[in-house]
Amino acid sequence: MDFVAIDFETANANRSSACSLGLVEVRDGAIISEQSWLIDPGQPFDYWNIQIHGITESMVQGMPSFGELWPTLAPLLEGKHIVAHNASFDMSVLRYCLDQASIDYPSFQYYCTYLLSKKMLNWMSSHKLNVLADWYGIPLHHHDALDDARACAHVLLNLIRQEEQPSAEQLSLAQGCKIGVMYPGGYKPFSAPAKKKPKTAKSRSPFGTKRSFSG
């Protein structure tokens, strides 16, 4: 169970406007390191984005640009198993930031806890990160990049243990998912086949009550 969970926050609707990144590394099923960075996107901050994450333009003054930060980030991502909640967003932010800085893409496999939970916990009405965190009893200050990355890591650990799989890769394959891949020059998205809800009068949790994360 080795992987790296990440979460980006952006300054505006432009995917190249990363202003914060949280990164949590898991080894042998346990978190071994946590890091977060403020990033100067060199772009204006939209009011609505500030309302979501609380980061303002003044807070990133003097912080590194994404291109300046990349030499620190590259070895943390290269060749790893990367996970994000709604990975299509975070991977696009990463790609757009790399494109803007004229930097080649790294090589890694990636996974999406949103799509995995939507498939595996299909009886739930919502699979937003804050909803899953509440279900599993995971503390969360939503839209704080480090908190979101940590919660994402815990969600994946719960899903892996639920199915008694040894890794995110084996879990994804067992669920019929196509694993996402990023590589120099391109990428392939993570995807999960839709799972039909059981045809019953009421859709009920197979667990009965909330489960608390421990570990």
Side-chain angles (χ1 to χ4, degrees):
M1 288 193 214
D2 297 355
F3 60 85
V4 174
I6 66 170
D7 181 80
F8 280 104
E9 300 296 331
T10 58
N12 54 56
N14 193 327
R15 296 294 173 91
S16 65
S17 68
C19 62
S20 180
L21 170 62
L23 184 150
V24 172
E25 184 175 2
V26 173
R27 187 176 300 165
D28 296 328
I31 292 175
I32 64 165
S33 68
E34 299 182 345
Q35 300 182 68
S36 64
W37 299 267
L38 288 175
I39 303 167
D40 185 351
Q43 300 181 33
F45 279 64
D46 284 352
Y47 171 81
W48 292 113
N49 291 68
I50 295 173
Q51 294 306 299
I52 290 171
H53 52 57
I55 301 170
T56 64
E57 198 160 351
S58 63
M59 291 170 65
V60 302
Q61 288 182 358
M63 295 296 127
S65 66
F66 183 87
E68 292 169 336
L69 186 60
W70 183 245
T72 299
L73 300 179
L76 301 174
L77 302 177
E78 181 70 37
K80 304 292 180 65
H81 294 269
I82 309 301
V83 58
H85 198 75
N86 191 16
S88 61
F89 171 79
D90 295 281
M91 293 301 112
S92 67
V93 171
L94 178 58
R95 295 196 317 272
Y96 274 67
C97 288
L98 289 166
D99 289 343
Q100 182 172 263
S102 299
I103 299 171
D104 286 340
Y105 296 172
S107 296
F108 57 71
Q109 293 184 339
Y110 69 89
Y111 310 85
C112 178
T113 48
Y114 173 74
L115 292 179
L116 280 169
S117 63
K118 191 173 182 180
K119 179 174 175 58
M120 297 171 63
L121 308 175
N122 66 318
W123 44 267
M124 294 183 74
S125 60
S126 172
H127 299 87
K128 293 180 179 180
L129 185 59
N130 59 318
V131 174
L132 293 171
D134 181 63
W135 169 257
Y136 285 120
I138 302 166
L140 175 64
H141 177 202
H142 202 17
H143 297 301
D144 174 273
L146 182 56
D147 250 38
D148 282 2
R150 185 188 303 114
C152 173
H154 284 322
V155 168
L156 182 57
L157 287 170
N158 273 281
L159 295 175
I160 289 172
R161 289 164 179 162
Q162 172 185 314
E163 297 299 309
E164 299 182 342
Q165 293 290 345
S167 66
E169 182 176 26
Q170 291 302 312
L171 173 70
S172 299
L173 294 174
Q175 293 297 320
C177 300
K178 293 183 179 179
I179 296 170
V181 182
M182 189 175 289
Y183 52 88
Y187 74 101
K188 295 179 181 179
F190 183 94
S191 62
K195 185 175 181 180
K196 294 181 180 179
K197 291 186 177 182
K199 295 180 179 180
T200 57
K202 292 183 179 180
S203 181
R204 298 182 62 188
S205 159
F207 304 115
T209 56
K210 290 186 178 182
R211 302 174 68 188
S212 297
F213 175 84
S214 60

